[in-house]
Amino acid sequence: MMSAPADLRNASNSVEKSLSSEALNSPVAIPPMPDYNGRLLAYTATAVIIVVGVLQGAFQQWHLLLIAGALSWPHIAHLLTRRTFLRNSPRIRQKMLITDCIIGGGLIGCIGLVAIPSISIALMLMFSALIIGGIRQWLIGCGFMTASIVVFFAIFGPAESFQSPLLTSMLSILATGLYICVTAFYSHQQARALMLAKTQIQNQREQSIALSHKLSKYLSPQVWQSIFTGERDVRLETQRKKLAVFFSDIKGFTELSEEMEPEALTELLNHYFNGMAEVALRYGGTIDKFVGDSIMVFFGDPTSRGQREDAFACVSMAIDMRKHMKIMRQKWRSQGIKTPLEIRMGISTGYTTVGNFGAENRMDYTIIGKEVNLASRLESLAEPGEILVSYETFSLIKDRIMCRDKGEITVKGFGRPVPIYEVVDFRRDMGPNRSFMEHERSGFAMYLDSDKITDKERQSILSALEDAAERLRLEEDSAQD
């Protein structure tokens, strides 16, 4: 039985939780410098510049009052953003930064545009704007700061000298450099952490992809795709749909299992299933399950091309499987397996219940209904190498596939006898224009499908056939002599 979608979901969730736990415990998760710390550092540096400027006579005595505001504002801003309704604002950082630009512009205007201190304060503001909000925030900050400078400069007027003393200038440059270096260090650490986190996420993504590829082996590609693209929910739900249902098993497998060792038998069975699964997927079939030597496939869910095309694809698959079985039988014979293995198949088309069955923590994606029972019954009644189909299937494919009437059978769940038909071959391959030939005798086996042979292979095959024919003629001439 194929693994259920719920198993995939539970396994993926457990892995996701494990990977998320690793990410949370990772030492690379370094946050940026808190706004409170950055604001405290910038306003403290500004306060120091004002104190030194007053002491050296670059600023007026009343400018000392600005120090109280500079040292108080970081704490006020912190309380406003953490203790009031502002904490729920989605862009509180940008709004508070604009306030800082207004305050900083006011400080520059109050000190009368003294060159070096003013440039230092402006650089700290502009650097913060770039770090937090990028170019857009920088432009907005420049606008508000310029407006604030103009207003306060108009109120308090220019300074006695636009040049500051050497110590004030040097201290302003050092304070600005310290602020920029500390902020840049935190930004570098955050960028480094983001790069490491990106690498970790990429590794986790690769692990998830590898796991999903492994888990995909337990589901048909159609079901897998519908789950992981979100088209189908993983829950207990079913629906009624008209499907084409296919059953097959190997005639003679029981006898063969008594003759072969379990390891060799397992290898043979896996080779058979692999070949048949490739054929089924090539025609778009949803492989339901492998049971013993039996295969169950259905067409029409989770994707459908219409009832007629689904039925035709199902029967086409069965014909291709019958041809493929001949090739496999020749290979097995060359490996010393003398027991002739034949495949028998049954196909029914009708309404079934399809979906997830089971429990919330363990479910199977499968189908149930009387059409499933009919397909299974047809398979058990078929002769080796025979494909039996129901009347519903026959009515959908009869214009493209030749079938032979096989009478009627009685099936449990059906009120009246069910007409059945044997699939002969594609109508296009009947008569002299058929693309394949087959011939099998003791010591000789040939299967030829000219539609699948390339020009290069054709010359090689012709050469081999001519050599074989020449040898047979020589042996016949020798026998006659």
Side-chain angles (χ1 to χ4, degrees), residues 457-475:
E457 293 172 338
R458 184 175 286 106
Q459 295 301 322
S460 176
I461 293 171
L462 284 172
S463 178
L465 290 174
E466 289 170 357
D467 290 343
E470 183 64 25
R471 179 165 183 174
L472 288 174
R473 291 191 188 98
L474 290 174
E475 291 179 354

Side-chain angles (χ1 to χ4, degrees), residues 273-327:
F273 281 148
N274 186 65
M276 295 305 173
E278 289 180 357
V279 175
L281 295 178
R282 187 162 63 245
Y283 285 91
T286 301
I287 302 175
D288 186 291
K289 60 177 70 72
F290 300 108
V291 181
D293 62 319
S294 300
I295 304 175
M296 179 180 172
V297 183
F298 57 86
F299 289 74
D301 192 80
T303 59
S304 174
R305 291 169 288 182
Q307 298 176 13
R308 187 174 299 276
E309 291 301 321
D310 289 338
F312 178 70
C314 185
V315 178
S316 300
M317 175 196 71
I319 295 174
D320 203 345
M321 284 183 172
R322 182 168 60 184
K323 296 177 181 178
H324 191 68
M325 190 66 178
K326 296 178 184 296
I327 300 173

Side-chain angles (χ1 to χ4, degrees), residues 194-211:
L194 289 174
M195 289 300 297
L196 292 175
K198 180 180 178 181
T199 302
Q200 187 180 48
I201 290 171
Q202 181 64 27
N203 293 335
Q204 294 172 359
R205 180 174 178 272
E206 292 175 357
Q207 293 177 24
S208 299
I209 291 174
L211 174 64

Side-chain angles (χ1 to χ4, degrees), residues 17 79 279 346 400 444:
K17 290 178 182 178
L79 291 175
V279 175
R400 288 184 281 181
F444 178 82

